[in-house]
Amino acid sequence: MNRIFHKSSESMQELEDKSVDLMVTSPPYNININYGNKWENGKLISSKGKKYKDNLDEENYRNLLEKTINETKRVLKDDGQIWFNIKNRYDKGNMIPPFWVMDFFQDMYLKNIIIWNFDWGGSTNKRFCSRYEYVFFFTKNKDKYTFNLDDVKIPALNYRPDRYKSQLKNPSDVWRISLVSGNSPERTEHPAQYPEELIERIIKVGSNKNDIILDPFMGSGTTAVVAKKLERKYVGYETEKEYIDIANKRLSNG
């Protein structure tokens, strides 16, 4: 497959039923932010990259996600899985956790809610600084799905050879993985880029070589880059041509 389509993922007629092994994505957060410009002390200090405002009408936003999720379920194999990254939002002084997305997955099985914890980000003086996002892990089949635990085990801090066979252990459901900083080698001009390390763990544990990985909100191509590195195939959708160009450049350099 190995292709990124320049269109909305609300319709994926290019993909056959039950043809995808794993979907991982981070949709627009719809948090009413102007992306693409860099501000400091209220002044514009740089302007580059694609500009867009993340402020869909709430009903249209949820309809977009629902249509994309329904299409994903259509193209997902019977033993396939979905990993869905989303964060809290704020409206009129209230925090709105994203648990409403589970309404779109009533016919799937929720296996984990991963807390993706990072060590820096925006600041505020009226509440504690947010340093986490969610990754929902759903499977299409209750019992039959890929889970390559040995490929993602981590060193145990308190390894005791008299009690454990290995000094490696199952990661918890709290993953401490840094955001992509401005000076990171993987940094692009995309304003909401998630780290390769996060996607690498998901693709390793949830798929096998030559499996097809879908990202319906491809952005700068991180999912495709990691899939290629791990010898998987990728397919994605992205409405902004500039981001597709960034993704293809990353893929050609990999």
Side-chain angles (χ1 to χ4, degrees), residues 19 31 46 53 74 95 116 124 132 197 234 246:
S19 60
I31 53 178
S46 67
K53 193 170 184 178
R74 176 184 67 80
M95 187 178 80
W116 169 26
T124 178
Y132 71 93
E197 183 181 353
Y234 63 83
I246 291 172

Side-chain angles (χ1 to χ4, degrees), residues 40-221:
E40 189 172 285
N41 297 325
K43 295 182 179 181
L44 180 66
I45 61 173
S46 67
S47 177
K48 64 179 182 177
K50 178 69 182 181
K51 314 296 187 297
Y52 74 93
K53 193 170 184 178
D54 190 20
N55 66 338
L56 285 174
D57 172 85
E58 184 67 17
E59 182 178 359
N60 290 334
Y61 174 64
R62 296 195 183 198
N63 284 340
L64 165 66
L65 296 190
E66 184 175 19
K67 289 177 181 177
T68 296
I69 290 166
N70 285 339
E71 272 291 85
T72 297
K73 288 187 283 190
R74 176 184 67 80
V75 303
L76 201 64
K77 293 180 180 179
D78 289 337
D79 59 352
Q81 50 192 266
I82 291 176
W83 295 73
F84 197 83
N85 166 226
I86 197 166
K87 66 187 290 184
N88 295 321
R89 293 185 293 158
Y90 290 85
D91 181 51
K92 298 176 182 177
N94 287 315
M95 187 178 80
I96 306 172
F99 299 115
W100 52 267
V101 301
M102 293 193 294
D103 292 342
F104 303 147
F105 294 96
Q106 293 298 311
D107 52 350
M108 296 188 71
Y109 297 89
L110 179 62
K111 297 299 181 179
N112 277 117
I113 299 177
I114 304 298
I115 302 300
W116 169 26
N117 169 237
F118 35 84
D119 50 6
W120 60 272
S123 61
T124 178
N125 58 8
K126 291 291 188 179
R127 53 185 171 81
F128 294 114
C129 296
S130 179
R131 293 293 181 267
Y132 71 93
E133 295 183 10
Y134 303 93
V135 184
F136 292 85
F137 168 31
F138 296 95
T139 64
K140 205 169 186 180
N141 187 287
K142 183 176 67 171
D143 301 310
K144 184 183 178 183
Y145 57 93
T146 299
F147 198 76
N148 301 315
L149 181 58
D150 286 343
D151 292 347
V152 297
K153 284 185 175 179
I154 60 176
L157 295 178
N158 300 306
Y159 171 60
R160 288 183 53 182
D162 59 320
R163 295 184 60 184
Y164 304 107
K165 295 180 180 180
S166 170
Q167 64 184 87
L168 299 176
K169 67 174 184 177
N170 184 345
S172 76
D173 55 5
V174 178
W175 297 359
R176 188 171 178 81
I177 298 174
S178 293
L179 295 170
V180 181
S181 63
N183 59 359
S184 169
E186 65 185 83
R187 183 75 225 182
T188 73
E189 293 181 359
H190 191 280
Q193 182 179 343
Y194 55 22
E196 293 182 18
E197 183 181 353
L198 176 73
I199 305 307
E200 183 171 320
R201 179 177 286 182
I202 291 169
I203 291 179
K204 277 184 175 181
V205 78
S207 68
N208 299 303
K209 289 183 179 180
N210 295 315
D211 280 355
I212 296 178
I213 312 301
L214 166 67
D215 189 340
F217 300 98
M218 183 61 83
S220 65

